Amino acid sequence: MSRFSSLLALVMVAVLAGCGRPEFSDAEKQTIASLALSRLPPLKPDTTNRFADVPAAAALGSTLFFDTGMSGGGTVSCSTCHKIDRQFQDDLPQAVGVGRTNRRTMPLAGVAHDPWFFWDGRRDSLWAQALTPLENPLEQAGNRAAFTHYIKARFGERYERIFGPLPDLSGVPANASPLGTDAERAAWNAMPGAQAEEVNRVFANIGKAIAAFERSIAPPQTRFDRFALDLAAGAEPKGDAAFSSEEILGLKLFIGKANCVTCHNGPRFTDVSFHNTVVPPV
């Protein structure tokens, strides 16, 4: 056992034996307060999506988010993995859509505050992130031509009230995508450039509607937030906001000697630490 582990064990024994409850210094209290959700800044305008704060776009995005028609087989929706009662994730080690993926589902609560998306940060806008699972063969396994036809058939009037007229799709193949199967790619490559551009525009607007909905998903206040607010106000945390001695020691380590807070800092850190919903790394 290391010297640090031995010291921690002795501290734990002393606390549990009633020899004292650990206290926070003023500096520690300031650090803890900075981690509360109440410190989240107002959302910045999304300069990549002029529909980001349009209520009708968010309403359409919500419909699409829960619609299994937004998948190749009609059995999977965004909400299959992003469950509303689990901070919009699924508690599984690997997400399962049409197939099993190699990554865990990320929570969406507060996602609009993030600058990068996916575990590897490969998308830099929320609407571009929203589109990616739609054509992933292991997630929703659809293709952009099919989605465009689906939007026109099911949501044409709603779409046009928000984004303007839909294009003429009479010559667009039922299934086509630059990222799809061999047959879908061949169909896509055979399309005139202007027609492919029109399909891409509708597909992009699908992502912008879903992103407008996801932008509205705020993280709920947790017991850590209530603890931090009470502590900052100089009040003794009560009820579920009262931390046990073990939790206080863990928090002191988190912001102190263990240095976890170096990476897990700011209000969004609470998606991966003291919340009831724990989201471990990949």
Side-chain angles (χ1 to χ4, degrees):
M1 182 179 290
S2 68
R3 291 177 61 190
F4 175 68
S5 298
S6 300
L7 177 61
L8 177 61
L10 289 173
V11 172
M12 287 290 293
V13 168
V15 169
L16 296 177
C19 296
R21 181 179 177 84
E23 298 292 338
F24 293 105
S25 67
D26 290 341
E28 287 175 325
K29 289 178 181 179
Q30 290 180 8
T31 299
I32 292 167
S34 75
L35 303 175
L37 290 172
S38 59
R39 292 295 182 91
L40 276 172
L43 280 177
K44 296 179 180 179
D46 185 346
T47 57
T48 72
N49 180 6
R50 64 190 178 94
F51 306 98
D53 296 308
V54 175
L60 176 59
S62 176
T63 300
L64 299 179
F65 187 92
F66 293 97
D67 185 0
T68 56
M70 294 298 293
S71 65
T75 59
V76 174
S77 70
C78 303
S79 64
T80 298
C81 295
H82 297 284
K83 298 184 183 299
I84 193 170
D85 60 342
R86 292 180 173 85
Q87 285 199 357
F88 289 86
Q89 51 94 37
D90 57 12
D91 292 332
L92 298 175
Q94 294 173 310
V96 179
V98 172
R100 181 178 296 276
T101 74
N102 63 352
R103 292 291 180 96
R104 183 185 176 98
T105 299
M106 298 186 78
L108 296 181
V111 70
H113 290 276
D114 292 348
W116 307 100
F117 305 92
F118 292 109
W119 287 108
D120 55 7
R122 66 185 185 274
R123 293 290 181 270
D124 62 359
S125 70
L126 189 54
W127 67 267
Q129 180 281 323
L131 291 177
T132 305
L134 297 177
E135 293 190 298
N136 186 310
L138 296 177
E139 296 184 69
Q140 288 168 256
N143 64 82
R144 63 192 65 185
F147 289 132
T148 300
H149 284 294
Y150 184 72
I151 289 294
K152 188 162 189 174
R154 288 289 308 275
F155 307 107
E157 290 185 8
R158 291 179 67 182
Y159 175 97
E160 291 186 332
R161 286 198 297 269
I162 302 164
F163 299 107
L166 281 156
D168 178 11
L169 301 180
S170 58
V172 175
N175 297 284
S177 169
L179 304 176
T181 63
D182 290 343
E184 290 166 354
R185 289 199 302 272
W188 182 264
N189 292 332
M191 292 169 58
Q195 190 178 65
E197 185 176 343
E198 289 177 335
V199 171
N200 280 336
R201 177 170 57 82
V202 176
F203 189 54
N205 287 337
I206 290 171
K208 291 181 179 184
I210 294 174
F213 165 65
E214 292 179 343
R215 185 173 168 85
S216 72
I217 302 173
Q221 189 185 68
T222 69
R223 60 186 295 259
F224 172 80
D225 299 308
R226 291 187 283 276
F227 174 86
L229 289 172
D230 285 347
L231 200 66
E236 180 69 22
K238 302 292 185 183
D240 74 336
F243 273 23
S244 67
S245 296
E246 295 95 324
E247 289 173 314
I248 290 174
L249 284 171
L251 180 53
K252 286 178 77 70
L253 284 171
F254 188 94
I255 63 175
K257 185 167 287 189
N259 217 23
C260 307
V261 76
T262 299
C263 294
H264 300 284
N265 56 68
R268 284 282 287 159
F269 103 98
T270 45
D271 282 342
V272 291
S273 58
F274 297 100
H275 279 206
N276 293 331
T277 301
V278 177
V279 183
V282 180

